[in-house]
Amino acid sequence: MWFVIFAEDHPDSLEARKRARPAHLERLKALQNDGRLLVAGPCPAIAELDPGVLGYTGSVVIAEFDTLQDAEQWTNDDPYWEAGVYKQASVKPFIAALPN
């Protein structure tokens, strides 16, 4: 089943995000290589492709996992936690209704 993961960043965590980004992307690429990633990306602090020093407010990942517990474990193992980027995250089942 698909799951949507929304993680919220701590304020002023841009530098920590930059340092942990390669390890974070490696995990996402593994999902992509397995055909289990629908979409992933950061949420800029302003409505610009490059938010500059304002950074990001969080991340969204929609990926396929066998169970909610698997999705939660994958989320909890993200390098952004150890780096102090993420403040909180929610994981919910998701149905990709459109486009079909």
Side-chain angles (χ1 to χ4, degrees), residues 29-47:
K29 288 178 185 175
L31 285 177
Q32 183 179 28
N33 291 341
D34 289 345
R36 297 173 40 211
L37 182 65
L38 184 64
V39 67
C43 300
I46 58 173

Side-chain angles (χ1 to χ4, degrees), residues 2-100:
W2 294 107
F3 291 88
V4 61
I5 300 163
F6 179 74
E8 186 179 349
D9 288 8
H10 282 284
D12 302 315
S13 60
L14 181 59
E15 291 307 313
R17 179 181 267 274
K18 287 179 182 178
R19 286 190 301 274
R21 187 170 188 260
H24 172 77
L25 290 179
E26 185 176 313
R27 297 177 78 240
L28 290 169
K29 288 178 185 175
L31 285 177
Q32 183 179 28
N33 291 341
D34 289 345
R36 297 173 40 211
L37 182 65
L38 184 64
V39 67
C43 300
I46 58 173
E48 296 289 336
L49 290 177
D50 181 358
V53 298
L54 296 177
Y56 301 91
T57 60
S59 301
V60 174
V61 175
I62 300 177
E64 189 174 31
F65 295 93
D66 290 334
T67 66
L68 175 61
Q69 292 76 20
D70 290 343
E72 289 172 335
Q73 185 62 55
W74 187 91
T75 301
N76 292 336
D77 291 341
D78 196 285
Y80 280 173
W81 287 109
E82 186 175 333
V85 175
Y86 287 161
K87 177 170 62 172
Q88 63 184 24
S90 63
V91 180
K92 297 182 180 194
F94 178 79
I95 297 172
L98 292 172
N100 53 14

